[in-house]
Amino acid sequence: MPVSSKLSSSNFLRQFCNAESKELNKLSAVQFMEVWDHYDNDGNGVIEDEELDGFLREFVGTVNAEEDLEQVTEEILAELKACFLEAYDDNEDGKIDIRELAQLLPMEETFLLLFRFDNPLESSVEFMKLVVPVRHGVAGGYIGGG
């Protein structure tokens, strides 16, 4: 499915925001994976290129009105992307992997422990091996049992 068809005109991230403050709420493991799956459109384990552009537009859109997003030009988006990658792209590959996204999005504490740097996962694939059973109802839907 092309990126443009998956990233629709509605802002996917807004459903996870507090209506009054417009801040992102803490995400559960399932919600985080919904966000990941939405933006990693091709399923290759990274958010890159058009996927990253779509994520950044919507991330900015969580705190701005829809009409303000129309003012986000390609030039502004390129500058935003460069700053974003400088801040969150730890391995400097020009892509956002699942651990790097976890640094940015607010998450419930138990889920956040998977991303601790003193006990790193080797890859997004290793992470998916841990999370897929949880997403399918094993362990009561929670990491660590239910």
Side-chain angles (χ1 to χ4, degrees):
M1 177 184 303
V3 174
S4 58
S5 65
K6 193 169 182 183
L7 300 177
S8 66
S9 60
S10 65
N11 186 321
F12 183 78
L13 284 176
R14 277 210 177 119
Q15 67 184 305
F16 303 108
C17 290
N18 179 296
E20 292 177 19
S21 69
K22 296 187 178 184
E23 290 181 4
L24 285 168
N25 295 318
K26 288 186 178 181
L27 302 176
S28 68
V30 171
Q31 290 170 326
F32 180 84
M33 289 312 301
E34 287 175 15
V35 171
W36 179 260
D37 288 343
H38 181 78
Y39 295 104
D40 181 20
N41 195 5
D42 58 11
N44 69 346
V46 293
I47 298 174
E48 61 185 331
D49 304 324
E50 291 178 7
E51 297 167 336
L52 185 54
D53 293 348
F55 171 79
L56 291 173
R57 282 188 189 279
E58 291 190 9
F59 187 71
V60 168
T62 61
V63 294
N64 294 299
E66 289 293 329
E67 56 272 7
D68 291 341
L69 289 181
E70 295 171 7
Q71 298 176 16
V72 179
T73 64
E74 292 301 316
E75 183 178 311
I76 292 172
L77 182 64
E79 187 175 325
L80 175 63
K81 189 175 188 177
C83 291
F84 180 83
L85 288 170
E86 184 177 332
Y88 294 102
D89 183 17
D90 293 332
N91 61 2
E92 299 179 358
D93 64 355
K95 306 168 187 175
I96 297 298
D97 65 30
I98 204 161
R99 177 185 296 274
E100 292 164 341
L101 186 66
Q103 293 178 62
L104 172 68
L105 299 178
M107 295 183 300
E108 293 175 351
E109 186 65 27
T110 54
F111 183 55
L112 190 60
L113 293 176
L114 286 174
F115 299 99
R116 288 181 47 183
F117 284 97
D118 59 342
N119 187 21
L121 297 174
E122 293 298 317
S123 68
S124 297
V125 173
E126 183 179 336
F127 171 81
M128 293 302 290
K129 287 178 185 176
L130 292 172
V131 173
V132 168
V134 172
R135 292 174 64 203
H136 294 288
V138 176
Y142 296 95
I143 294 174

